[in-house]
Amino acid sequence: MEYSKKVMDHFMNPRNMGEIENASGVGTVGNAKCGDIMRIFLDIDPETHIIKDCKFKTFGCGAAVATSSMATELVVGKNINEALQVTNKAVMEALDGLPPVKVHCSLLAEEAIHAALWDYAQKEHITIEGLKPPKDDISEGEEEFEEE
Amino acid sequence: MEKQLIYLDNAATTKTRPEVVEAMLPYFTEVYSNPSSVYEFAGKGKSAVEHSRDIIAGILGAKSSNEIYFTGGGSESDNWALIATAEAYASKGRHIITSKLEHHAILHTCEYLEKQGYEVTYLDVDEYGLVDPASVEAAIRPDTILISIMFANNEIGTIEPIGEIGAIAKKHGVLFHTDAVQAFAHVPINVQELNIDMLSASGHKFGGPKGIGFLYLRNGIRLGAFVHGGSQERKRRAGTHNVPGIVGMGKAAELAAAKLEETMTYEKTLRDHLVQRVLTEIPHVKYNGHPEQRLTNNANFSFQFIEGESLLILLDMQGICASSGSACTSGSLDPSHVLLAIGLPHEIAHGSLRLTLSEEITKEQIDFVVDELKKIVVRLREMSPLYADFIKENQ
């Protein structure tokens, strides 16, 4: 697999790997059937809505781990509206690109951040403009696949 | 210190043996003649080709050397056997029986034939990857023209009950082909005892060069040519003979056959040591394939909660070459069809690791691999949300 040096660095030395206890928001996306599951934990200041900390756990390939790691780095310090603007493209660019078959990993990273923000918004009873509910509930996803 | 290379992917390809390379070299620069030519200079090349044919026919217990046809490799042999049989026997019927465990060289050829109007039955296998001979017999219909079941599986190493299937095929008068790419020169095979009508093999899987293979085709089976052109290989496979390749494959087969039992015993001892250590020292592991009836150099595991490509990259960092049936390594969204065929759930199939040994591997290397594997599995599980959930659920 042709990975960039940055992807390899984030895979070998993942940043912010772990969990946050009593996180402000948690999002899990992907599904085991496809071989990638990402879980993002956010610690958000309820006053300023600034992301103080972000951690991840990922089941997946090298690119899945690297995009999770990079995504956590990109959102820490941003407020929730800014964090929403962290796209899969931004994650990919920050990693100096991904092989074409791995682009979906960066999409998953974006979705995981969104899912965690959605969880936060639900808990805080706030609306984050432009944020859609996560589409990728793992159990639902699997059921859908089973029916095929 | 330079990282040592530990090559545990011998099912993908093998190192060309130095003796094989040595045997091939004169046929590039000295005996470079086209064996089909008339002059005396061509004779040496021709006799070298025939010598290789004799060696292979002898190892297979074929009735005659002219039952061996040289091809460009295992995939070509598989394509030829299936397509030419389908064409030659279309007037008898258009039904083919194979299994869900086959290599893509068989499965994709079957899909091609389905588009041409043939019907294919893909037999299920059990949890060890075994085809039930009774299911083969039950699938035979009046219009069945061919049964193609692989000798040994490339991923999980399971050796199929070829003798029983061959006997059933013979009893019903149906042709029997076996893809023996992983098995030839790795396990004893006698085509007459096993009632095999056609057998595919590939040179680079047993210490020979790449780009050369053969098809054993029992005399009396009237198949057409697959590659059309000159009259080489009794007009059945056109193209100037790959003399160095044929010489190399013959030499490799000869060397492998001479110490087949010794190699099998050596590999099995090491493989069993590897399996025993992995299963006792790493939790939540499944050993895939048949516990006994399998290639001596194959071990295949599924490590729960982790994904295969990550595992391969981290092994590669330690100089260890291995392979996985995970989707990420295949470039598709689905894990290996073999692992799904033996009933593994997707997430377990994604965490698979295949290690295939050779006689060059040492016990020290196996121990090093297991030690590294233990650390890597712990590391990836720490990262895995599936493992975190599992731990929480079982607290």
Short mmCIF file of all heavy atoms in Angstrom, two decimals, chain A residues 1 3 8 11-14 17-19 28 32-39 41 56-63 65 101-102 104 142, chain B residues 304-307 309-311 313-314 317 327-329 331-335 346-347 350-351 379-386 388-389 392:
data_model
loop_
_atom_site.label_atom_id
_atom_site.label_comp_id
_atom_site.label_asym_id
_atom_site.label_seq_id
_atom_site.Cartn_x
_atom_site.Cartn_y
_atom_site.Cartn_z
N MET A 1 0.84 -1.20 0.00
CA MET A 1 0.00 0.00 0.00
C MET A 1 0.87 1.24 0.00
O MET A 1 1.81 1.36 0.78
CB MET A 1 -0.90 -0.03 1.24
CG MET A 1 -1.96 1.03 1.28
SD MET A 1 -3.09 1.08 -0.12
CE MET A 1 -3.88 -0.52 0.01
N TYR A 3 1.31 4.52 1.04
CA TYR A 3 0.88 5.57 1.95
C TYR A 3 1.93 6.67 2.02
O TYR A 3 3.13 6.39 1.92
CB TYR A 3 0.69 5.00 3.37
CG TYR A 3 -0.58 4.20 3.58
CD1 TYR A 3 -0.55 3.03 4.33
CD2 TYR A 3 -1.80 4.62 3.05
CE1 TYR A 3 -1.72 2.29 4.56
CE2 TYR A 3 -2.96 3.89 3.27
CZ TYR A 3 -2.91 2.73 4.02
OH TYR A 3 -4.06 2.02 4.23
N MET A 8 1.77 7.30 7.35
CA MET A 8 2.51 6.28 8.11
C MET A 8 2.85 6.79 9.51
O MET A 8 2.77 6.05 10.49
CB MET A 8 3.80 5.89 7.36
CG MET A 8 3.55 4.95 6.18
SD MET A 8 2.61 3.47 6.61
CE MET A 8 3.85 2.56 7.53
N PHE A 11 -0.21 6.66 11.57
CA PHE A 11 -0.57 5.27 11.87
C PHE A 11 0.37 4.69 12.93
O PHE A 11 -0.08 4.05 13.89
CB PHE A 11 -0.51 4.41 10.59
CG PHE A 11 -0.71 2.94 10.88
CD1 PHE A 11 -1.95 2.47 11.29
CD2 PHE A 11 0.33 2.04 10.75
CE1 PHE A 11 -2.14 1.13 11.57
CE2 PHE A 11 0.15 0.69 11.04
CZ PHE A 11 -1.09 0.24 11.44
N MET A 12 1.65 4.96 12.77
CA MET A 12 2.62 4.40 13.71
C MET A 12 2.59 5.11 15.06
O MET A 12 2.81 4.50 16.10
CB MET A 12 4.04 4.48 13.13
CG MET A 12 4.27 3.65 11.88
SD MET A 12 3.86 1.90 12.10
CE MET A 12 5.13 1.40 13.26
N ASN A 13 2.35 6.42 15.02
CA ASN A 13 2.32 7.22 16.26
C ASN A 13 1.00 7.99 16.34
O ASN A 13 0.98 9.21 16.21
CB ASN A 13 3.49 8.21 16.29
CG ASN A 13 4.79 7.54 15.94
OD1 ASN A 13 5.31 6.71 16.69
ND2 ASN A 13 5.33 7.89 14.78
N PRO A 14 -0.10 7.28 16.55
CA PRO A 14 -1.38 7.97 16.51
C PRO A 14 -1.49 9.03 17.62
O PRO A 14 -1.07 8.80 18.76
CB PRO A 14 -2.41 6.86 16.71
CG PRO A 14 -1.65 5.65 17.13
CD PRO A 14 -0.21 5.85 16.80
N MET A 17 -5.03 8.96 20.76
CA MET A 17 -5.72 7.68 20.80
C MET A 17 -6.16 7.41 22.24
O MET A 17 -5.40 7.61 23.17
CB MET A 17 -4.78 6.57 20.32
CG MET A 17 -5.48 5.31 19.86
SD MET A 17 -5.99 4.25 21.23
CE MET A 17 -4.36 3.65 21.75
N GLY A 18 -7.40 6.99 22.40
CA GLY A 18 -7.89 6.68 23.73
C GLY A 18 -9.35 7.08 23.87
O GLY A 18 -10.05 7.26 22.88
N GLU A 19 -9.79 7.19 25.14
CA GLU A 19 -11.19 7.54 25.38
C GLU A 19 -11.24 8.74 26.32
O GLU A 19 -10.28 9.00 27.04
CB GLU A 19 -11.93 6.35 26.03
CG GLU A 19 -11.95 5.13 25.15
CD GLU A 19 -12.79 3.99 25.73
OE1 GLU A 19 -13.45 4.21 26.77
OE2 GLU A 19 -12.77 2.90 25.14
N THR A 28 -19.92 7.29 16.94
CA THR A 28 -19.34 6.07 16.35
C THR A 28 -19.93 5.90 14.96
O THR A 28 -21.14 5.92 14.79
CB THR A 28 -19.67 4.84 17.21
OG1 THR A 28 -19.20 5.08 18.54
CG2 THR A 28 -19.00 3.58 16.67
N ALA A 32 -18.61 -2.90 11.00
CA ALA A 32 -17.61 -3.95 11.00
C ALA A 32 -17.61 -4.74 9.70
O ALA A 32 -16.60 -5.30 9.29
CB ALA A 32 -17.85 -4.89 12.18
N LYS A 33 -18.74 -4.73 9.04
CA LYS A 33 -18.85 -5.48 7.80
C LYS A 33 -17.86 -4.94 6.76
O LYS A 33 -17.23 -5.69 6.03
CB LYS A 33 -20.28 -5.40 7.28
CG LYS A 33 -20.50 -6.30 6.10
CD LYS A 33 -21.97 -6.49 5.78
CE LYS A 33 -22.05 -7.18 4.42
NZ LYS A 33 -22.97 -8.27 4.37
N CYS A 34 -17.75 -3.62 6.71
CA CYS A 34 -16.83 -3.00 5.75
C CYS A 34 -15.40 -2.93 6.29
O CYS A 34 -14.48 -2.57 5.57
CB CYS A 34 -17.29 -1.61 5.37
SG CYS A 34 -18.92 -1.60 4.66
N GLY A 35 -15.26 -3.23 7.56
CA GLY A 35 -13.91 -3.28 8.11
C GLY A 35 -13.40 -1.99 8.71
O GLY A 35 -12.21 -1.88 8.99
N ASP A 36 -14.26 -1.00 8.92
CA ASP A 36 -13.82 0.24 9.55
C ASP A 36 -14.85 0.73 10.55
O ASP A 36 -16.02 0.89 10.19
CB ASP A 36 -13.65 1.36 8.50
CG ASP A 36 -12.50 1.11 7.55
OD1 ASP A 36 -11.37 0.94 8.04
OD2 ASP A 36 -12.74 1.08 6.34
N ILE A 37 -14.42 0.97 11.77
CA ILE A 37 -15.28 1.60 12.76
C ILE A 37 -14.47 2.69 13.46
O ILE A 37 -13.36 2.44 13.92
CB ILE A 37 -15.81 0.60 13.81
CG1 ILE A 37 -16.70 -0.44 13.14
CG2 ILE A 37 -16.58 1.33 14.91
CD1 ILE A 37 -17.23 -1.48 14.09
N MET A 38 -15.02 3.90 13.49
CA MET A 38 -14.35 4.99 14.19
C MET A 38 -15.23 5.51 15.31
O MET A 38 -16.44 5.66 15.11
CB MET A 38 -14.10 6.17 13.25
CG MET A 38 -12.93 5.96 12.33
SD MET A 38 -12.69 7.45 11.37
CE MET A 38 -11.75 6.74 10.02
N ARG A 39 -14.60 5.78 16.45
CA ARG A 39 -15.33 6.39 17.57
C ARG A 39 -14.56 7.62 18.01
O ARG A 39 -13.37 7.55 18.30
CB ARG A 39 -15.46 5.38 18.71
CG ARG A 39 -16.29 5.90 19.88
CD ARG A 39 -16.57 4.78 20.87
NE ARG A 39 -17.42 3.76 20.27
CZ ARG A 39 -17.55 2.53 20.75
NH1 ARG A 39 -16.90 2.17 21.84
NH2 ARG A 39 -18.34 1.67 20.16
N PHE A 41 -14.40 10.92 20.64
CA PHE A 41 -14.83 11.48 21.93
C PHE A 41 -14.48 12.97 21.95
O PHE A 41 -13.34 13.32 21.63
CB PHE A 41 -14.10 10.81 23.09
CG PHE A 41 -14.28 9.32 23.17
CD1 PHE A 41 -13.51 8.47 22.37
CD2 PHE A 41 -15.21 8.76 24.05
CE1 PHE A 41 -13.67 7.09 22.46
CE2 PHE A 41 -15.36 7.38 24.14
CZ PHE A 41 -14.60 6.54 23.33
N PHE A 56 -9.80 9.35 20.02
CA PHE A 56 -10.43 8.39 19.11
C PHE A 56 -10.07 6.95 19.44
O PHE A 56 -9.04 6.67 20.06
CB PHE A 56 -10.04 8.68 17.65
CG PHE A 56 -8.68 8.13 17.28
CD1 PHE A 56 -8.56 6.86 16.72
CD2 PHE A 56 -7.53 8.86 17.49
CE1 PHE A 56 -7.31 6.33 16.39
CE2 PHE A 56 -6.27 8.36 17.15
CZ PHE A 56 -6.16 7.08 16.59
N LYS A 57 -10.95 6.07 19.01
CA LYS A 57 -10.62 4.64 18.93
C LYS A 57 -11.08 4.16 17.56
O LYS A 57 -12.19 4.50 17.13
CB LYS A 57 -11.32 3.84 20.02
CG LYS A 57 -10.64 3.98 21.37
CD LYS A 57 -10.64 2.67 22.16
CE LYS A 57 -9.61 2.75 23.28
NZ LYS A 57 -9.63 1.56 24.14
N THR A 58 -10.23 3.42 16.88
CA THR A 58 -10.57 2.99 15.52
C THR A 58 -10.20 1.53 15.28
O THR A 58 -9.11 1.07 15.66
CB THR A 58 -9.84 3.89 14.49
OG1 THR A 58 -10.44 5.17 14.52
CG2 THR A 58 -9.95 3.33 13.08
N PHE A 59 -11.14 0.83 14.66
CA PHE A 59 -10.91 -0.51 14.14
C PHE A 59 -10.83 -0.31 12.63
O PHE A 59 -11.79 0.16 12.03
CB PHE A 59 -12.10 -1.40 14.51
CG PHE A 59 -12.22 -2.68 13.71
CD1 PHE A 59 -11.53 -3.82 14.07
CD2 PHE A 59 -13.07 -2.75 12.60
CE1 PHE A 59 -11.66 -5.00 13.34
CE2 PHE A 59 -13.21 -3.93 11.87
CZ PHE A 59 -12.50 -5.06 12.24
N GLY A 60 -9.70 -0.60 12.06
CA GLY A 60 -9.60 -0.41 10.61
C GLY A 60 -8.18 -0.43 10.12
O GLY A 60 -7.24 -0.73 10.87
N CYS A 61 -8.05 -0.09 8.85
CA CYS A 61 -6.76 -0.17 8.18
C CYS A 61 -5.86 1.01 8.57
O CYS A 61 -6.25 1.88 9.34
CB CYS A 61 -6.97 -0.19 6.67
SG CYS A 61 -7.78 1.29 6.06
N GLY A 62 -4.69 1.05 7.99
CA GLY A 62 -3.73 2.12 8.27
C GLY A 62 -4.32 3.49 8.01
O GLY A 62 -4.15 4.41 8.82
N ALA A 63 -5.03 3.63 6.90
CA ALA A 63 -5.61 4.92 6.54
C ALA A 63 -6.71 5.32 7.52
O ALA A 63 -6.86 6.50 7.85
CB ALA A 63 -6.18 4.87 5.12
N VAL A 65 -6.90 4.58 10.71
CA VAL A 65 -6.24 5.04 11.94
C VAL A 65 -5.65 6.42 11.72
O VAL A 65 -5.83 7.33 12.53
CB VAL A 65 -5.15 4.03 12.38
CG1 VAL A 65 -4.34 4.60 13.54
CG2 VAL A 65 -5.77 2.69 12.76
N VAL A 101 -8.38 4.16 -3.15
CA VAL A 101 -9.27 3.20 -2.49
C VAL A 101 -9.49 3.53 -1.01
O VAL A 101 -10.33 2.92 -0.35
CB VAL A 101 -8.78 1.74 -2.59
CG1 VAL A 101 -8.82 1.27 -4.03
CG2 VAL A 101 -7.40 1.55 -1.99
N LYS A 102 -8.71 4.48 -0.49
CA LYS A 102 -8.79 4.79 0.94
C LYS A 102 -9.51 6.11 1.22
O LYS A 102 -9.59 6.54 2.37
CB LYS A 102 -7.39 4.85 1.55
CG LYS A 102 -6.61 3.55 1.42
CD LYS A 102 -7.21 2.46 2.27
CE LYS A 102 -6.34 1.23 2.26
NZ LYS A 102 -6.93 0.14 3.01
N HIS A 104 -12.54 6.76 1.29
CA HIS A 104 -13.71 6.58 2.17
C HIS A 104 -13.33 6.66 3.65
O HIS A 104 -14.16 6.99 4.49
CB HIS A 104 -14.43 5.26 1.87
CG HIS A 104 -13.70 4.05 2.33
ND1 HIS A 104 -12.68 3.47 1.61
CD2 HIS A 104 -13.82 3.31 3.46
CE1 HIS A 104 -12.23 2.42 2.27
NE2 HIS A 104 -12.89 2.29 3.39
N GLU A 142 -25.91 -2.47 9.77
CA GLU A 142 -25.72 -3.90 9.59
C GLU A 142 -27.02 -4.59 9.20
O GLU A 142 -27.02 -5.46 8.35
CB GLU A 142 -25.17 -4.52 10.87
CG GLU A 142 -23.66 -4.53 10.86
CD GLU A 142 -23.06 -5.20 12.07
OE1 GLU A 142 -23.75 -5.30 13.10
OE2 GLU A 142 -21.92 -5.62 11.98
N GLN B 304 -9.59 -11.46 16.70
CA GLN B 304 -10.80 -10.68 16.90
C GLN B 304 -10.48 -9.24 17.26
O GLN B 304 -9.46 -8.98 17.91
CB GLN B 304 -11.60 -11.31 18.05
CG GLN B 304 -12.86 -12.03 17.59
CD GLN B 304 -13.63 -12.53 18.78
OE1 GLN B 304 -13.17 -13.44 19.46
NE2 GLN B 304 -14.78 -11.93 19.03
N PHE B 305 -11.33 -8.36 16.86
CA PHE B 305 -11.31 -6.92 17.20
C PHE B 305 -10.26 -6.11 16.46
O PHE B 305 -10.12 -4.92 16.70
CB PHE B 305 -11.13 -6.66 18.71
CG PHE B 305 -11.90 -7.58 19.60
CD1 PHE B 305 -11.26 -8.47 20.45
CD2 PHE B 305 -13.29 -7.59 19.55
CE1 PHE B 305 -11.98 -9.33 21.27
CE2 PHE B 305 -14.02 -8.44 20.36
CZ PHE B 305 -13.36 -9.32 21.23
N ILE B 306 -9.46 -6.75 15.59
CA ILE B 306 -8.48 -5.94 14.85
C ILE B 306 -8.60 -6.21 13.36
O ILE B 306 -9.21 -7.19 12.94
CB ILE B 306 -7.03 -6.18 15.34
CG1 ILE B 306 -6.59 -7.61 15.09
CG2 ILE B 306 -6.89 -5.79 16.79
CD1 ILE B 306 -5.15 -7.85 15.48
N GLU B 307 -7.99 -5.33 12.59
CA GLU B 307 -8.15 -5.38 11.14
C GLU B 307 -6.82 -5.79 10.50
O GLU B 307 -5.74 -5.37 10.95
CB GLU B 307 -8.61 -3.99 10.67
CG GLU B 307 -9.12 -3.93 9.25
CD GLU B 307 -7.98 -3.82 8.27
OE1 GLU B 307 -6.95 -3.20 8.62
OE2 GLU B 307 -8.11 -4.36 7.16
N GLU B 309 -5.13 -5.25 7.60
CA GLU B 309 -4.10 -4.42 6.96
C GLU B 309 -3.20 -3.74 7.98
O GLU B 309 -1.98 -3.67 7.81
CB GLU B 309 -4.73 -3.35 6.06
CG GLU B 309 -3.68 -2.67 5.20
CD GLU B 309 -4.04 -1.26 4.81
OE1 GLU B 309 -3.81 -0.34 5.62
OE2 GLU B 309 -4.53 -1.08 3.70
N SER B 310 -3.81 -3.28 9.07
CA SER B 310 -3.01 -2.67 10.13
C SER B 310 -1.98 -3.68 10.67
O SER B 310 -0.82 -3.35 10.92
CB SER B 310 -3.90 -2.22 11.29
OG SER B 310 -4.73 -1.18 10.87
N LEU B 311 -2.45 -4.89 10.80
CA LEU B 311 -1.59 -5.97 11.28
C LEU B 311 -0.42 -6.19 10.32
O LEU B 311 0.74 -6.30 10.73
CB LEU B 311 -2.46 -7.22 11.37
CG LEU B 311 -2.00 -8.48 12.05
CD1 LEU B 311 -1.60 -8.19 13.48
CD2 LEU B 311 -3.15 -9.50 12.05
N ILE B 313 0.89 -4.07 8.16
CA ILE B 313 1.84 -2.95 8.13
C ILE B 313 2.78 -3.04 9.33
O ILE B 313 3.99 -2.86 9.20
CB ILE B 313 1.10 -1.59 8.15
CG1 ILE B 313 0.22 -1.44 6.91
CG2 ILE B 313 2.10 -0.43 8.21
CD1 ILE B 313 -0.66 -0.20 6.93
N LEU B 314 2.22 -3.37 10.49
CA LEU B 314 3.06 -3.43 11.69
C LEU B 314 4.02 -4.63 11.63
O LEU B 314 5.15 -4.55 12.12
CB LEU B 314 2.20 -3.46 12.94
CG LEU B 314 1.44 -2.14 13.20
CD1 LEU B 314 0.45 -2.28 14.35
CD2 LEU B 314 2.39 -0.99 13.48
N MET B 317 6.88 -3.66 9.40
CA MET B 317 7.85 -2.81 10.09
C MET B 317 8.95 -3.65 10.75
O MET B 317 10.04 -3.19 10.99
CB MET B 317 7.15 -1.98 11.18
CG MET B 317 6.23 -0.92 10.63
SD MET B 317 7.21 0.42 9.97
CE MET B 317 6.00 1.26 8.98
N ALA B 327 -10.65 -6.81 3.68
CA ALA B 327 -11.09 -6.07 2.50
C ALA B 327 -10.05 -5.04 2.09
O ALA B 327 -9.81 -4.82 0.92
CB ALA B 327 -12.41 -5.39 2.79
N CYS B 328 -9.44 -4.42 3.10
CA CYS B 328 -8.50 -3.35 2.82
C CYS B 328 -7.31 -3.82 2.01
O CYS B 328 -6.68 -3.05 1.31
CB CYS B 328 -7.99 -2.74 4.12
SG CYS B 328 -9.26 -1.82 4.95
N THR B 329 -6.97 -5.10 2.11
CA THR B 329 -5.83 -5.57 1.36
C THR B 329 -6.25 -6.01 -0.04
O THR B 329 -5.42 -6.20 -0.90
CB THR B 329 -5.13 -6.75 2.08
OG1 THR B 329 -6.10 -7.76 2.31
CG2 THR B 329 -4.56 -6.31 3.39
N GLY B 331 -8.63 -4.29 -1.78
CA GLY B 331 -9.09 -3.13 -2.54
C GLY B 331 -10.59 -3.14 -2.77
O GLY B 331 -11.11 -2.36 -3.54
N SER B 332 -11.30 -4.05 -2.10
CA SER B 332 -12.76 -4.05 -2.22
C SER B 332 -13.34 -3.86 -0.82
O SER B 332 -12.62 -3.75 0.15
CB SER B 332 -13.25 -5.36 -2.81
OG SER B 332 -13.20 -6.38 -1.84
N LEU B 333 -14.66 -3.82 -0.76
CA LEU B 333 -15.28 -3.63 0.56
C LEU B 333 -15.49 -4.95 1.28
O LEU B 333 -15.77 -4.97 2.48
CB LEU B 333 -16.62 -2.90 0.40
CG LEU B 333 -16.52 -1.39 0.26
CD1 LEU B 333 -17.89 -0.78 0.13
CD2 LEU B 333 -15.79 -0.75 1.44
N ASP B 334 -15.38 -6.04 0.56
CA ASP B 334 -15.64 -7.34 1.18
C ASP B 334 -14.35 -8.08 1.50
O ASP B 334 -13.41 -8.06 0.72
CB ASP B 334 -16.49 -8.20 0.24
CG ASP B 334 -17.95 -7.81 0.29
OD1 ASP B 334 -18.44 -7.55 1.40
OD2 ASP B 334 -18.57 -7.73 -0.78
N PRO B 335 -14.35 -8.75 2.64
CA PRO B 335 -13.19 -9.59 2.93
C PRO B 335 -13.19 -10.83 2.03
O PRO B 335 -14.11 -11.05 1.26
CB PRO B 335 -13.38 -9.96 4.40
CG PRO B 335 -14.84 -9.82 4.66
CD PRO B 335 -15.34 -8.78 3.71
N HIS B 346 -18.10 -11.04 8.97
CA HIS B 346 -17.22 -10.08 8.32
C HIS B 346 -16.12 -9.54 9.24
O HIS B 346 -14.96 -9.48 8.85
CB HIS B 346 -18.04 -8.90 7.77
CG HIS B 346 -18.65 -9.19 6.44
ND1 HIS B 346 -19.67 -10.09 6.29
CD2 HIS B 346 -18.37 -8.70 5.21
CE1 HIS B 346 -20.00 -10.13 5.01
NE2 HIS B 346 -19.24 -9.30 4.34
N GLU B 347 -16.51 -9.14 10.45
CA GLU B 347 -15.51 -8.48 11.30
C GLU B 347 -14.38 -9.44 11.70
O GLU B 347 -13.26 -9.02 11.93
CB GLU B 347 -16.14 -7.81 12.52
CG GLU B 347 -16.82 -8.74 13.50
CD GLU B 347 -18.30 -8.98 13.16
OE1 GLU B 347 -18.66 -8.90 11.97
OE2 GLU B 347 -19.07 -9.25 14.09
N HIS B 350 -12.12 -9.84 8.58
CA HIS B 350 -11.24 -8.68 8.38
C HIS B 350 -9.96 -8.79 9.20
O HIS B 350 -8.96 -8.17 8.86
CB HIS B 350 -11.96 -7.38 8.75
CG HIS B 350 -12.95 -6.93 7.73
ND1 HIS B 350 -12.59 -6.62 6.44
CD2 HIS B 350 -14.28 -6.74 7.78
CE1 HIS B 350 -13.66 -6.25 5.76
NE2 HIS B 350 -14.70 -6.32 6.55
N GLY B 351 -10.01 -9.54 10.26
CA GLY B 351 -8.84 -9.65 11.15
C GLY B 351 -8.02 -10.89 10.87
O GLY B 351 -7.40 -11.44 11.78
N ARG B 379 -1.39 -3.91 20.85
CA ARG B 379 -1.38 -2.51 20.41
C ARG B 379 -2.64 -2.15 19.62
O ARG B 379 -3.27 -1.12 19.85
CB ARG B 379 -0.13 -2.30 19.57
CG ARG B 379 -0.05 -0.97 18.92
CD ARG B 379 1.24 -0.87 18.14
NE ARG B 379 1.29 0.38 17.42
CZ ARG B 379 2.39 0.93 16.98
NH1 ARG B 379 3.55 0.33 17.18
NH2 ARG B 379 2.36 2.06 16.32
N LEU B 380 -3.02 -3.03 18.67
CA LEU B 380 -4.18 -2.72 17.84
C LEU B 380 -5.49 -2.87 18.62
O LEU B 380 -6.45 -2.16 18.36
CB LEU B 380 -4.19 -3.61 16.59
CG LEU B 380 -3.11 -3.28 15.56
CD1 LEU B 380 -3.10 -4.32 14.44
CD2 LEU B 380 -3.30 -1.88 14.98
N ARG B 381 -5.50 -3.80 19.59
CA ARG B 381 -6.72 -3.94 20.38
C ARG B 381 -6.93 -2.73 21.29
O ARG B 381 -8.06 -2.32 21.52
CB ARG B 381 -6.67 -5.24 21.20
CG ARG B 381 -7.03 -6.43 20.32
CD ARG B 381 -7.06 -7.74 21.06
NE ARG B 381 -7.42 -8.81 20.14
CZ ARG B 381 -7.15 -10.09 20.34
NH1 ARG B 381 -6.52 -10.49 21.44
NH2 ARG B 381 -7.51 -10.98 19.45
N GLU B 382 -5.82 -2.17 21.77
CA GLU B 382 -5.93 -0.95 22.59
C GLU B 382 -6.60 0.16 21.80
O GLU B 382 -7.24 1.04 22.34
CB GLU B 382 -4.54 -0.48 23.03
CG GLU B 382 -4.11 -1.08 24.35
CD GLU B 382 -2.66 -0.74 24.69
OE1 GLU B 382 -2.10 0.18 24.05
OE2 GLU B 382 -2.09 -1.43 25.55
N MET B 383 -6.40 0.12 20.49
CA MET B 383 -6.92 1.16 19.62
C MET B 383 -8.35 0.87 19.16
O MET B 383 -8.99 1.71 18.55
CB MET B 383 -6.01 1.21 18.39
CG MET B 383 -5.67 2.59 17.90
SD MET B 383 -4.74 2.47 16.36
CE MET B 383 -3.08 2.29 16.95
N SER B 384 -8.82 -0.36 19.42
CA SER B 384 -10.06 -0.80 18.79
C SER B 384 -11.31 -0.53 19.62
O SER B 384 -11.41 -0.97 20.77
CB SER B 384 -9.96 -2.30 18.51
OG SER B 384 -11.22 -2.82 18.15
N PRO B 385 -12.29 0.17 19.06
CA PRO B 385 -13.55 0.39 19.77
C PRO B 385 -14.30 -0.93 19.99
O PRO B 385 -15.05 -1.07 20.95
CB PRO B 385 -14.34 1.33 18.85
CG PRO B 385 -13.74 1.18 17.51
CD PRO B 385 -12.31 0.78 17.71
N LEU B 386 -14.10 -1.89 19.09
CA LEU B 386 -14.76 -3.19 19.26
C LEU B 386 -14.25 -3.91 20.49
O LEU B 386 -15.01 -4.55 21.23
CB LEU B 386 -14.52 -4.08 18.03
CG LEU B 386 -15.10 -3.61 16.70
CD1 LEU B 386 -14.66 -4.53 15.57
CD2 LEU B 386 -16.62 -3.56 16.78
N ALA B 388 -12.88 -2.37 23.10
CA ALA B 388 -13.35 -1.59 24.26
C ALA B 388 -14.77 -2.02 24.63
O ALA B 388 -15.09 -2.23 25.81
CB ALA B 388 -13.31 -0.10 23.93
N ASP B 389 -15.62 -2.19 23.62
CA ASP B 389 -17.01 -2.62 23.88
C ASP B 389 -17.04 -4.01 24.48
O ASP B 389 -17.80 -4.29 25.40
CB ASP B 389 -17.82 -2.62 22.57
CG ASP B 389 -18.03 -1.21 22.04
OD1 ASP B 389 -17.77 -0.25 22.80
OD2 ASP B 389 -18.45 -1.07 20.88
N LYS B 392 -16.05 -3.90 28.12
CA LYS B 392 -17.13 -3.33 28.93
C LYS B 392 -18.24 -4.35 29.15
O LYS B 392 -18.76 -4.50 30.25
CB LYS B 392 -17.70 -2.08 28.24
CG LYS B 392 -17.14 -0.80 28.84
CD LYS B 392 -17.71 0.44 28.15
CE LYS B 392 -16.66 1.51 28.12
NZ LYS B 392 -16.73 2.34 26.92
#
